[in-house]
Amino acid sequence: MRRVGPPVVKLLDDDVESIKYAMASHLLYSVGKEPISATARDWFMAAAYTVRDRVSEHWMPTLNRYYAEDKKRVYYMSMEFLIGRTLSNAMINLGIYDTVKQAVGEMGIDFDEVLGWEVEAALGNGGLGRLAACLLDSMATLGVPGFGYGIRYDYGMFTQHVEHGWQVESPENWLRYGNPWEFARPGVIYPVRFGGRVVHYKDVLGHTRAQWMDTEEVMAMAYDVPIPGYGGKTVNNLRLWTAKSTREFDLKYFNAGNYIEAVRDKAESETLSKVLYPSDLTDRGKELRFKQEYFFVAASIQDILARFRKSHSDWDKLPEKVAIQLNDTHPAMVVAELMRVLVDEYQIEWHRAWALTRATCAYTNHTLLPEALETWPVDLFARVLPRHLEIVYQLNHEFLQEVRHRHPGDNDLLRRVSVVGEDGERRVRMGHLAVIGSHKVNGVAAIHTGLMKSTIFSDFDHLSPGKINNKTNGVTPRRWLLLSNPGLSALISGKIGDQWVTHLDQLKKLEPFAEDAAFRAEFAAVKRANKQRLAEVISVRLGVDINPDSLFDVQIKRIHEYKRQLLNVLQVVARYSRIRSNPLLDVVPRTVIIGGKAAPGYLMAKLIIKLINDVADVVNNDPLVADKLKVVFVPNYNVSTAELVMPAADLSEQISTAGTEASGTGNMKMSMNGALTIGTWDGANVEICEEVGEENMFLFGLTAQEVARTRHDGYDPKPAIAANAELKKAIDLIASGYFSPDDPARFAPVVDILTHADHYLLTADFASYMAAQDKVDELYRDQSEWSRKSILNVARMGKFSSDRTVSEYARDIWGVPV
């Protein structure tokens, strides 16, 4: 057993004077500045170190407690952790936010300016990474021994700028000024191998063994980030890996004056942790991404097993002490790597190793889109990870033998469930590997899980009934309500107390207040203040003045055709045409706010961003429209921006084609902050509707079943366009170059999709969507009734706390107490 040292003695106080003293000390000793020369960023670093000290006080005792109690540990494997700014969140969770704010103020420093200097950790892109961050927060809050594993990217997805309406990407250099929240662990370093060849031999007992040899090697070094739970009693760990070369430079080349060649190996090795999601438009980009995924998996498995082996020698205890959760297919290589280590390095018998692997691993699926279920060419696999390909082949062979035994003669079933796809180029299906290598597979919303069972994984569901289960996503109320919306949080706590922060179902107590006119007025005042705050930020950053009394219509998420930002643009153009046709028309003033990044190689998504900005340029500068309609594209959408936008939203646009959005979490965040949802019967919208009531939402469009039937029958968008004058006018305006006079044909690809293919059925849903938007306008005219429904949305969001999600994972998948 690991020796546990004495408990850490609490040395730090949390009163104002102690905080001031600590900040002044850190400014001098950690930052190396005196107050007279210190910048706001220097003070941020001093504040961060001060708070980090207090986090660390609870961190070490937490880890020691896990060892002493020999607790089962949950390892959450994710390529993304979109954790956002840490200082404010840590202060909230430690209960010292107001104390630090007062201390900073008494030192004559602008608290908001200090907070604003924190650069977000660029470790994620969208919902996948933000969900991972929410679950880590909830695991720590609930006392679950949860550890995150990911990559410490030098550069994140990218920083998004808008130039002449186009998305322009630049490196997201979030580590430029250092990261006060991380602890480098140069003593925690593991080799990760690539390439080489496999040699088979007989051991002394006559068993066939495999040796992976002649490989290239990269070192994975750990950086730890403490994750405090609410109340500060539990602080878990996020361990991120960075790539280090095994050789700093070649002295022979250096002495010969060839300085670039001297460091070539080092530079190439360390590209593994340079960038989140390198472009996969080239073969080199695909190989780099493939290596990235294995790099963090291999390092994490070595670390997990090293920790397990400190206290246990009996391998049969592995599933009792270790739970590995695969967040989407990116870490699916865990299945093959765990098998390789158990069989090749610890020489555990194959079938025993397979039983241990399946009992230890579980897989969360986040998409129904075939293109998002990763597959890798067999040739790439063979070149980069030859031993793992052998393991995949053997696992697949045994799995197919089992299927063949149960369903003799059904060769089509074998083709469909095979881990190796034989249609066209032979490819390894990572989703299939994750499914057969896990004891549980879950979707992230009820409708999504049902569709998993009936579509992409229907064969697996028939082969293993009950293996696929649902775990509807949730979000942490600490960041998305308590921190981001202090006005509403204070209003809620003043009426029902503050237990809702860790028991979100307590919000149900707000329901009676929806009928209280005075409370509705207070609620509306908070919303108005949040809108005013956002309006001021938009004015400063973008130079667009918006009316805080207009309806804030918000769609912020990754730009993708299935999320249908284009449908939103069509309603904007239709609304604009109405006003232009009748300038005296009495309309509800509306500000449409859209934000999100398009993948660098996704040309259609980037063209949609350009269309949004071109439409905004025309609409916002048309004197006939004035304040009746404004359009704003918010660039470089991230967690900090979301914390401003979510509390200000009146209307939450969740308009993906039914059956395409796995869950969504933006829908939860905005509803939790009092926005009403306009959306399709998709993802978590369905469950939000069950909780808040259909009468308190604006639902429209085809259902997932109707979408499938419409596509199966062969959809032609032309009749729908011809039958709807507003839709036809909107498409004609875009096609004519009205919004792009410098290049009338610019949006021809958009028009072509709408009029010929329309795979995501925008034209089919347009009429229903506009009818729902008309209902939005009608309700918004009655501000008291709008507020009543808004309050009911907040009051009925208890289900959508990530605390509930983690509790269900713990009970049904991980087997750990909560």
Side-chain angles (χ1 to χ4, degrees):
M1 292 291 289
R2 179 181 181 272
R3 292 178 60 192
V4 179
V8 177
V9 177
K10 180 172 175 59
L11 302 174
L12 302 176
D13 294 316
D14 295 337
D15 59 279
V16 172
E17 291 304 316
S18 296
I19 296 292
K20 288 162 65 175
Y21 178 81
M23 283 186 60
S25 297
H26 273 300
L27 185 69
L28 179 62
Y29 298 116
S30 302
V31 182
K33 286 286 191 76
E34 290 185 335
I36 194 170
S37 60
T39 65
R41 185 172 68 239
D42 295 329
W43 281 113
F44 156 70
M45 295 295 285
Y49 287 130
T50 297
V51 174
R52 190 183 77 166
D53 289 346
R54 285 149 178 80
V55 172
S56 297
E57 274 193 326
H58 301 282
W59 190 21
M60 295 303 115
T62 296
L63 299 181
N64 284 331
R65 185 171 72 248
Y66 292 160
Y67 274 111
E69 298 176 359
D70 194 21
K71 295 211 170 190
K72 182 175 185 178
R73 302 180 189 232
V74 177
Y75 298 104
Y76 198 81
M77 308 280 287
S78 180
M79 283 285 281
E80 297 187 38
F81 288 96
L82 199 60
I83 57 179
R85 288 176 172 166
T86 301
L87 176 57
S88 53
N89 191 69
M91 291 188 297
I92 282 285
N93 279 2
L94 292 181
I96 59 174
Y97 187 95
D98 291 335
T99 305
V100 175
K101 183 176 182 179
Q102 181 182 340
V104 170
E106 290 184 8
M107 298 176 81
I109 308 159
D110 187 313
F111 182 68
D112 291 333
E113 189 178 3
V114 168
L115 294 183
W117 271 104
E118 181 169 9
V119 180
E120 286 191 30
L123 302 172
N125 174 37
L128 184 79
R130 188 50 236 172
L131 173 71
C134 282
L135 294 189
L136 288 187
D137 177 274
S138 286
M139 280 190 263
T141 298
L142 294 172
V144 172
F147 292 70
Y149 277 112
I151 296 178
R152 180 183 179 266
Y153 304 102
D154 291 355
Y155 302 94
M157 180 75 172
F158 56 81
T159 295
Q160 180 194 54
H161 305 280
V162 174
E163 295 181 9
H164 308 295
W166 292 100
Q167 170 179 293
V168 177
E169 304 99 23
S170 62
E172 194 168 20
N173 190 5
W174 69 287
L175 291 169
R176 180 187 296 114
Y177 302 114
N179 177 14
W181 303 107
E182 67 184 12
F183 291 80
R185 305 296 191 199
V188 182
I189 191 163
Y190 297 103
V192 177
R193 298 184 291 160
F194 299 100
R197 60 194 178 92
V198 183
V199 174
H200 295 272
Y201 65 95
K202 296 283 188 180
D203 65 14
V204 294
L205 297 177
H207 299 135
T208 300
R209 299 293 181 189
Q211 182 178 1
W212 186 19
M213 58 191 300
D214 297 337
T215 56
E216 297 176 2
E217 200 169 88
V218 177
M219 305 307 291
M221 178 183 141
Y223 283 78
D224 287 346
V225 180
I227 305 295
Y230 187 73
K233 294 180 181 178
T234 298
V235 179
N236 283 340
N237 193 40
L238 170 59
R239 176 157 286 181
L240 303 171
W241 301 106
T242 191
K244 298 290 184 182
S245 174
T246 53
R247 293 191 299 174
E248 287 300 307
F249 65 91
D250 191 314
L251 191 60
K252 177 183 66 176
Y253 286 117
F254 187 86
N255 288 338
N258 192 343
Y259 305 123
I260 294 177
E261 191 65 34
V263 296
R264 184 180 302 279
D265 285 344
K266 173 180 170 63
E268 288 186 359
S269 296
E270 295 181 0
T271 56
L272 283 173
S273 56
K274 283 291 180 188
V275 180
L276 168 66
Y277 297 150
S279 174
D280 57 4
L281 293 179
T282 65
D283 289 339
R284 285 179 64 88
K286 291 174 184 174
E287 181 173 330
L288 177 57
R289 180 161 171 170
F290 181 64
K291 285 183 172 180
Q292 270 189 341
E293 293 182 4
Y294 176 66
F295 166 77
F296 107 90
V297 161
S300 302
I301 290 298
Q302 290 178 78
D303 198 49
I304 291 167
L305 294 184
R307 190 175 294 111
F308 171 77
R309 296 285 288 173
K310 284 180 182 179
S311 304
H312 303 282
S313 57
D314 182 359
W315 283 106
D316 288 336
K317 286 186 174 292
L318 185 67
E320 296 176 24
K321 298 300 178 182
V322 172
I324 300 176
Q325 190 70 38
L326 311 180
N327 191 31
D328 218 359
T329 55
H330 310 128
M333 196 71 73
V334 162
V335 175
E337 174 66 3
L338 186 53
M339 283 294 292
R340 185 194 69 80
V341 173
L342 293 177
V343 171
D344 293 356
E345 296 186 12
Y346 290 101
Q347 299 193 345
I348 295 174
E349 188 272 328
W350 174 271
H351 291 100
R352 182 187 178 203
W354 183 227
L356 292 173
T357 297
R358 285 186 296 174
T360 301
C361 296
Y363 162 52
T364 300
N365 172 272
H366 286 276
T367 183
L368 299 169
L369 301 179
E371 65 268 24
L373 285 170
E374 288 186 311
T375 62
W376 295 109
V378 164
D379 290 344
L380 175 63
F381 231 110
R383 185 174 72 255
V384 178
L385 299 173
R387 176 56 180 148
H388 297 75
L389 183 60
E390 287 186 349
I391 290 170
V392 168
Y393 279 156
Q394 187 168 347
L395 292 176
N396 191 45
H397 171 73
E398 293 180 0
F399 172 67
L400 293 182
Q401 286 284 79
E402 180 184 339
V403 174
R404 185 179 289 110
H405 177 74
R406 293 172 57 185
H407 300 273
D410 194 343
N411 291 328
D412 193 47
L413 174 63
L414 296 177
R415 178 188 60 80
R416 294 196 306 269
V417 300
S418 174
V419 175
V420 181
E422 305 284 351
D423 301 328
E425 181 186 30
R426 298 178 72 229
R427 303 177 73 90
V428 177
R429 299 161 166 169
M430 301 307 286
H432 286 39
L433 179 63
V435 170
I436 70 166
S438 299
H439 68 282
K440 290 288 185 182
V441 176
N442 72 278
V444 290
I447 185 174
H448 168 236
T449 302
L451 289 169
M452 280 172 59
K453 292 181 177 183
S454 63
T455 58
I456 57 171
F457 295 143
S458 60
D459 293 315
F460 294 101
D461 186 51
H462 291 140
L463 290 169
S464 302
K467 184 175 187 176
I468 299 176
N469 67 101
N470 180 57
K471 295 290 170 279
T472 297
N473 283 344
V475 301
T476 169
R478 271 75 65 182
R479 182 177 290 272
W480 294 111
L481 187 50
L482 184 63
L483 175 60
S484 65
N485 200 340
L488 181 56
S489 297
L491 182 62
I492 293 170
S493 295
K495 294 296 182 183
I496 67 170
D498 61 5
Q499 287 189 1
W500 61 269
V501 178
T502 52
H503 298 85
L504 199 62
D505 55 348
Q506 292 287 313
L507 289 180
K508 199 80 171 173
K509 295 178 180 178
L510 278 179
E511 280 201 32
F513 292 100
E515 310 305 324
D516 182 337
F519 184 79
R520 290 199 299 270
E522 291 181 87
F523 185 91
V526 169
K527 176 66 74 173
R528 175 62 165 70
N530 290 333
K531 293 169 70 176
Q532 179 66 46
R533 179 180 62 167
L534 179 60
E536 291 170 359
V537 170
I538 287 173
S539 178
V540 170
R541 292 184 186 176
L542 305 177
V544 180
D545 293 324
I546 59 177
N547 176 12
D549 292 315
S550 64
L551 186 154
F552 279 20
D553 177 349
V554 175
Q555 187 179 22
I556 44 175
K557 54 184 74 232
R558 180 166 52 95
I559 307 296
H560 197 290
E561 288 171 89
Y562 87 82
K563 293 180 183 288
R564 300 204 297 190
Q565 285 89 356
L566 184 53
L567 180 59
N568 197 348
V569 175
L570 289 174
Q571 74 103 0
V572 169
V573 174
R575 190 174 294 274
Y576 172 70
S577 297
R578 287 181 188 176
I579 298 171
R580 286 281 303 177
S581 300
N582 184 4
L584 298 179
L585 186 67
D586 179 23
V587 300
V588 171
R590 184 181 291 229
T591 300
V592 178
I593 299 169
I594 302 174
K597 295 180 180 180
Y602 193 171
L603 300 183
M604 180 54 66
K606 296 174 84 167
L607 188 60
I608 290 171
I609 290 176
K610 174 61 173 169
L611 176 60
I612 295 167
N613 283 296
D614 280 1
V615 169
D617 189 51
V618 171
V619 170
N620 295 347
N621 292 289
D622 190 331
L624 284 178
V625 175
D627 278 345
K628 294 178 179 177
L629 180 63
K630 288 287 180 72
V631 182
V632 178
F633 183 83
V634 180
N636 205 40
Y637 173 61
N638 56 18
V639 176
S640 301
T641 303
E643 289 172 4
L644 287 169
V645 175
M646 300 290 185
D650 291 309
L651 186 67
S652 168
E653 296 267 356
Q654 309 297 330
I655 58 177
S656 52
T657 310
T660 58
E661 186 72 80
S663 173
T665 53
N667 46 7
M668 302 171 190
K669 295 163 194 168
M670 282 193 266
S671 188
M672 193 178 290
N673 280 275
L676 304 190
T677 299
I678 183 168
T680 50
W681 294 91
D682 198 29
N685 289 355
V686 176
E687 289 162 86
I688 291 175
C689 180
E690 291 172 355
E691 297 296 314
V692 308
E694 189 173 347
E695 69 280 6
N696 297 310
M697 297 175 68
F698 304 94
L699 292 163
F700 72 92
L702 301 174
T703 64
Q705 292 75 21
E706 290 168 340
V707 166
R709 187 163 56 248
T710 300
R711 286 174 174 167
H712 179 268
D713 293 343
Y715 179 67
D716 180 2
K718 294 184 183 65
I721 296 171
N724 191 297
E726 283 197 320
L727 175 58
K728 185 177 187 306
K729 178 70 178 296
I731 294 174
D732 288 346
L733 282 174
I734 295 169
S736 70
Y738 184 91
F739 300 104
S740 54
D742 59 315
D743 182 5
R746 177 180 296 144
F747 300 114
V750 172
V751 173
D752 186 61
I753 282 177
L754 289 171
T755 55
H756 291 94
D758 196 13
H759 178 72
Y760 293 108
L761 303 177
L762 287 75
T763 55
D765 277 352
F766 180 81
S768 178
Y769 179 50
M770 291 303 293
Q773 292 285 11
D774 289 341
K775 291 178 181 177
V776 170
D777 288 340
E778 181 183 352
L779 180 64
Y780 196 74
R781 292 179 185 277
D782 185 346
Q783 279 292 288
S784 181
E785 181 63 10
W786 183 280
S787 292
R788 190 183 75 83
K789 291 178 179 290
S790 183
I791 293 165
L792 290 176
N793 266 261
V794 175
R796 296 172 180 175
M797 287 302 292
K799 174 180 178 177
F800 301 100
S801 168
S802 50
D803 297 347
R804 185 268 314 154
T805 307
V806 164
S807 295
E808 292 181 2
Y809 273 105
R811 181 192 67 209
D812 301 335
I813 297 178
W814 303 331
V816 298
V818 176

